[in-house]
Every structure is written in C-alpha cells, then in structure tokens.
Amino acid sequence: VNANRLQVRKIKALEHKMQYDLREIIVRAGAPVEIQFENPDLMPHNFVLGAPGSMEAIGLAGDAETTSPDAAKRDYVPEHPAVLQHTKLVQPNTTVSIRFMAPDKPGEYPFLCTYPGHWRVMNGVMHVLEELPETSGGEGSFVRLWDSFELSPPIDIVNSIDPARGAHL
C-alpha cells in the first residue's frame, strides 16, 4: 500500500437524527486525507476535526457562537486553537470535500458538528494510526452506526418461535 496514497473517507449526516452515519474513521498518520461529507438531512451541518481530547472544548466554543453576529459567516466553526480542519456549513442535499494531511502523531482525534446544539450527539473519532489494519481495505469506513431495528428480528419471526420444538433438539 502506497503510504502517500490519498485516503478518501465518506461520511454523511443521518436524516432526522442529528448524527453522522459513522462514529469512527481510520486514517494513516502523515498521509493525505479527503473527507467527503454528504448532508441529506433537512438541517445544515458541518464537519470539524479537533486535536485529541478537545471535543468538549470545541463543542462549548461552538455553542457560544450563537451569540456572535459573525457565526454564520464562519460556518459556525468556532475560532479555537484545537480546531485542526473543517468543512463549510453543508446545506441540505449537498456534499462537500476537504483535503488535508492526517496528523503525524497517532491518536484519537474527535470530529463533531458545531452547528448550535449539535455536537453533543453528532460526533465521532478519527483514529490516526501508524499503519492501517488489513480489515480497513484502505477505505477506513467499515464501522457503521446500527439502528436497533436492524439488529432485532422482525416481530413475525419472534412470534413464530416454538419453545417446545427447541426443547426436543
């Protein structure tokens, strides 16, 4: 695997949930990254990448943006030293991309939406690793946020289970 190959990571907002579809992204340290952020939701969102341990500080700074008359011009991205990268405010049914070099230092870098009030539920972690695990397949977006309905069997299957049949096996 070419260490300098562009690592494309796709993430999108979940409709009506104020969440990203991924809670984790994996990238190789010091290599180029492109984040493609799709927003099919009715609300605007952004993608802000912060330094390790900075999610709450950036989120609270984002909340404070609501009192700033220039917040919309800055796409609700707070002027905070821990903000490493960010998209513009992504309007509904729009996709934007940003390119940057992944941090050289391995660690857990939070990402969050800093549109007022979103960061507490709309966040995740970008894992920066020295080497990518084989399971990532170079995409790094194999982690999925499952809905509880997807993990439960359909109710008609549950109702058709015969406990007596299981006792004879």
Side-chain angles (χ1 to χ4, degrees), residues 77-97:
V77 176
E79 293 179 355
H80 192 281
V83 171
L84 302 178
Q85 302 291 333
H86 64 86
T87 64
K88 64 181 186 174
L89 194 61
V90 182
Q91 297 301 319
N93 300 310
T94 306
T95 300
V96 300
S97 295

Side-chain angles (χ1 to χ4, degrees), residues 143-160:
V143 178
R144 178 168 173 224
L145 179 63
W146 290 89
D147 187 288
S148 61
F149 293 107
E150 294 176 283
L151 298 174
S152 301
I155 195 71
D156 57 329
I157 291 174
V158 173
N159 289 338
S160 69

Side-chain angles (χ1 to χ4, degrees), residues 54-65 78 112-114 117 119-120:
S54 66
M55 183 168 50
E56 185 174 5
I58 292 172
L60 292 173
D63 286 348
E65 286 289 304
L112 58 152
C113 176
T114 57
W119 72 275
R120 285 180 173 83

Side-chain angles (χ1 to χ4, degrees), residues 3-166:
N4 292 323
R5 191 176 122 219
L6 180 65
Q7 305 170 95
V8 178
R9 303 297 183 257
K10 297 178 181 182
I11 188 167
K12 70 179 183 177
L14 293 176
E15 293 182 71
H16 315 296
K17 291 193 177 184
M18 268 196 331
Q19 293 180 342
Y20 296 111
D21 66 334
L22 301 175
R23 299 289 295 212
E24 298 180 84
I25 298 172
I26 300 172
V27 300
R28 182 183 169 113
V33 176
E34 179 176 307
I35 299 292
Q36 297 175 357
F37 178 43
E38 178 186 352
N39 183 14
D41 196 15
L42 298 173
M43 304 175 76
H45 299 290
N46 61 20
F47 177 95
V48 176
L49 180 66
S54 66
M55 183 168 50
E56 185 174 5
I58 292 172
L60 292 173
D63 286 348
E65 286 289 304
T66 58
T67 60
S68 171
D70 296 332
K73 291 179 188 174
R74 288 193 310 275
D75 297 307
Y76 292 94
V77 176
E79 293 179 355
H80 192 281
V83 171
L84 302 178
Q85 302 291 333
H86 64 86
T87 64
K88 64 181 186 174
L89 194 61
V90 182
Q91 297 301 319
N93 300 310
T94 306
T95 300
V96 300
S97 295
I98 57 170
R99 287 186 177 189
F100 56 92
M101 293 301 284
D104 289 328
K105 183 178 179 185
E108 296 185 352
Y109 293 75
F111 60 85
L112 58 152
C113 176
T114 57
Y115 191 76
H118 291 194
W119 72 275
R120 285 180 173 83
V121 292
M122 194 168 186
N123 60 67
V125 175
M126 184 175 81
H127 300 279
V128 176
L129 307 176
E130 284 290 334
E131 296 292 330
L132 293 181
E134 290 297 322
T135 57
S136 74
E139 287 298 312
S141 58
F142 61 91
V143 178
R144 178 168 173 224
L145 179 63
W146 290 89
D147 187 288
S148 61
F149 293 107
E150 294 176 283
L151 298 174
S152 301
I155 195 71
D156 57 329
I157 291 174
V158 173
N159 289 338
S160 69
I161 294 173
D162 180 5
R165 181 174 180 261

